[in-house]
Amino acid sequence: MAKAVQKITLSRSRDIPFNKLVLSQSNVRRVKAGVSVEQLAESIAQRTLLQSLNVRAVLDGEGNETGMFEVPAGGRRYRALELLVKQKRLAKTQLVPCVVREGGIAEDDSIAENDERVGLHPLDQFRAFQTLRTLGMSEEDIAARHFVTAAIVKQRLRLASVSPKLHEVYAEDGMTLEQLMAFSVTGDHARQELVWENVSKSGYDEPYQIRRMLTEDTVRASDKRAQFVGVAAYEAAGGGVLRDLFERDDGGWWQDVPLLERLVTEKLKADAETIAAEGWKWIEVAISFPYGHDNGFRQLEGTPADITAEEQAMVEALQAEHAKLEAEYQDADEIPDEVDARLGEIEKALSAFDNRPHIFDAADITRAGVFVSIDSDGSLLIDRGFVRPDDEAPVEGADANADPSDTDAVDPDASSVRRTVITVSGQPEAEDEEDDGIKPLPERLVMELTAHRSLALRDAVATNPQVAMTALLHKLCLDTFQREMPNGCLQVTVRQVHFSAQASDLKDSPPAKAIDERNKAWAAEMPNDEVALWDWLAALDDASRSALLAHCVSFGVNALFEKIDRYGGTGVSAHGLRHRIDQADRLARAVNLDMAEAGWRPTVDNYLGRVTKSRILEAVREAKGEASVQLIGHLKKNEMAKEAERLLDGMGWLPEPLRLAEVAAASGEPNTTGEPLPEFLADDEDEVGETGEDEQPHAVAAE
């Protein structure tokens, strides 16, 4: 006969006046740190008591009930009720719902009540907050009622807005909370699901990788174009901004790139129209100009505008405020954000006084022009007073015979102004099918890389007077002892080399900026008159003369790879190019040129997106090893290039045209015997057309 199952009997419930309750010594919660009674008291005031107290009758010495009850489980709730009574927000005799326990061990009940408590799964909290929001509660109301900040509520609501499919993955522990946070960057569920499908299969699913893939078709708010337009104008035009509520995003990502480009163009044109009222002959407008865009132009020397007494007083006040703030916080470990912001405002205001437009002669303005672009910090960059060679000496009587259709013959006082078309270069090329071989580098890419090397080499020579002096003496000795016929008093010429092919980042590279700053510093001191210049040079000390010599010599440095002229024209021959590269390598060794230290690093735009997958993998293999190659070997070329950029960052890896060449021969003699070009410059007609490009590629072999 089966034994009957013992039925469970639950403890009875009872409403007991609060003044008949006392805290039990059997309550196991003794540590008070981190226990917030005030928040619970406010919650009870808002919602009443949501969970009964667990109590036991207090017995006298003979085992009889005294009418009092002790609380072994629920001590925090008891203290919260006690606080409300002290605040006179709850009556002493208020009936409190209690579960009256008999038998068992009080301490066991107290432990069990805490151990068996299970908190909400984060996803349940996200969805609960979303329900409250749907029911009409504001984010601030939700925050106040649940004792969190409004920012946390915004974060929870953002997580609740992620694709339901990804919620299910998270609920089943298929992804981490940090990964779910990364997906909240965008509200596009289809995009979220597609990215998850890709990263979950590849195993390359770090949160930063997810964020990067979700924002790859956007523009960072820190981009100079975005800074130039401003977020208010962009959003007013209907543009959307992706924000990351969980990590610092520097203003987020702007989604509508075509809209941004249109706003940039419109604002630049409007600024150009304003500048045109000054009477300039021409204005060229672009987001940015390439390095050396003003070569061959003469820049006018304007006169700084006089500062008024009111402006001088403002400058002095700003300088005094800046000095006071710096003195006040000079010993502080960290400057408060508001103080740091104020210092930045003061510096910007003082800079505006220093960079005020110069005053130019009206006659000069009518034949000169202006370059209008965007500076690296997003501010408008205006370079006034450039005269083209054709505008230097007007031909007498030209007005009488001028063609009415000729824009250069228009009345200089006319308000019309010629502008360049604003273009954005560097669009990614379509990905081609590739074989597994190491294909040659495209000729234009080698030209761009060697333009970077030429500029870095110029900067290095300019800071090494000893090498510059040797290079100059070398040139002078060749001229002297080879008996070349001079065309002037002293046949020594520094001919600036213009880069016909250059990457978009060449102008903003560290060597370019260093050369420009150095050139401006010398130009500011140097007199324009030829006689005065001789006297000024003669008065310089030896160190200054050496530094100036190095600077001037550096402008003649040419380490460029150029197309070989096979037909005997004016272009460079294979022999001439070989000789140039040999000399450039010798000069680079003399100044210990390191292109990585000079600021060049491989990116998608300047190298990785321009070469085959095999070359990308070879670069990662050389810098990081085979394990890193395995991480990206399965990716498509565009993704592979982006991941390779991240892996190579800070590693100092350089492509062959930028590496410091080894000494070719023990004799050290230059290669003038017709020896073939190095492999990365080798002439290989069989490779023409394989890459689908018009330009002939040249093979590059690992050194």
Side-chain angles (χ1 to χ4, degrees), residues 144-412:
R145 290 180 65 84
H146 292 276
F147 310 104
V148 294
T149 64
I152 290 178
V153 174
K154 291 178 185 293
Q155 291 178 340
R156 302 298 186 264
L157 293 174
R158 177 69 68 84
L159 289 171
S161 68
V162 174
S163 166
K165 291 184 179 180
L166 300 188
H167 279 170
E168 295 305 319
V169 175
Y170 174 56
E172 298 297 327
D173 293 330
M175 73 168 62
T176 65
L177 179 59
E178 288 74 19
Q179 289 172 317
L180 188 68
M181 291 176 179
F183 279 108
S184 71
V185 167
T186 178
D188 187 340
H189 288 182
R191 179 67 176 158
Q192 292 171 351
E193 294 163 9
L194 178 61
V195 169
W196 174 247
E197 182 180 357
N198 290 336
V199 300
S200 60
K201 288 180 179 178
S202 67
Y204 206 52
D205 54 1
E206 293 293 330
Y208 74 86
Q209 171 74 0
I210 294 171
R211 285 185 175 89
R212 189 191 60 74
M213 294 181 69
L214 289 171
T215 58
E216 62 184 355
D217 296 326
T218 62
V219 170
R220 293 300 299 257
S222 55
D223 185 280
K224 70 177 185 178
R225 293 167 295 173
Q227 293 288 321
F228 177 65
V229 170
V231 67
Y234 170 73
E235 290 182 328
V241 180
L242 298 178
R243 297 303 306 264
D244 192 337
L245 298 183
F246 301 95
E247 289 192 0
R248 181 174 178 177
D249 60 8
D250 295 325
W253 298 265
W254 291 19
Q255 294 175 273
D256 197 335
V257 180
L259 173 61
L260 173 60
E261 296 289 355
R262 177 172 65 82
L263 294 175
V264 168
T265 302
E266 292 174 353
K267 187 174 181 182
L268 279 172
K269 287 183 176 178
D271 290 328
E273 292 290 349
T274 302
I275 299 168
E278 299 173 10
W280 300 99
K281 183 174 183 179
W282 53 267
I283 296 178
E284 290 194 15
V285 181
I287 292 175
S288 62
F289 291 101
Y291 179 79
H293 67 282
D294 55 355
N295 283 333
F297 289 43
R298 179 172 64 87
Q299 187 169 13
L300 300 176
E301 291 189 7
T303 304
D306 293 333
I307 187 169
T308 65
E310 182 179 352
E311 290 173 333
Q312 181 62 40
M314 184 180 299
V315 168
E316 293 173 356
L318 290 172
Q319 291 173 337
E321 183 182 358
H322 191 279
K324 179 182 178 182
L325 290 174
E326 280 196 330
E328 185 176 350
Y329 291 97
Q330 63 179 352
D331 297 327
D333 294 334
E334 187 175 352
I335 299 177
D337 291 341
E338 60 275 11
V339 175
D340 187 53
R342 179 54 185 162
L343 287 172
E345 291 172 359
I346 295 174
E347 290 168 359
K348 186 175 182 180
L350 291 174
S351 177
F353 280 106
D354 294 335
N355 298 322
R356 289 183 304 169
H358 285 199
I359 298 174
F360 298 93
D361 185 86
D364 289 334
I365 290 178
T366 59
R367 66 170 182 266
V370 183
F371 292 105
V372 179
S373 60
I374 305 175
D375 208 347
S376 58
D377 63 355
S379 60
L380 184 66
L381 181 61
I382 306 172
D383 288 328
R384 293 176 170 86
F386 288 86
V387 182
R388 295 167 173 161
D390 293 343
D391 296 332
E392 286 287 3
V395 179
E396 292 185 7
D399 291 340
N401 302 317
D403 184 348
S405 62
D406 184 1
T407 56
D408 285 342
V410 176
D411 180 2

Side-chain angles (χ1 to χ4, degrees), residues 564 573-579 581-582 585 664 670-684 698:
I564 297 173
S573 65
H575 169 75
L577 183 59
R578 170 72 269 182
H579 191 55
I581 298 301
D582 280 346
D585 288 341
N671 181 4
T672 59
T673 60
E675 183 180 330
L677 295 173
E679 291 184 345
F680 75 84
L681 300 178
D683 183 9
D684 188 352
H698 288 258

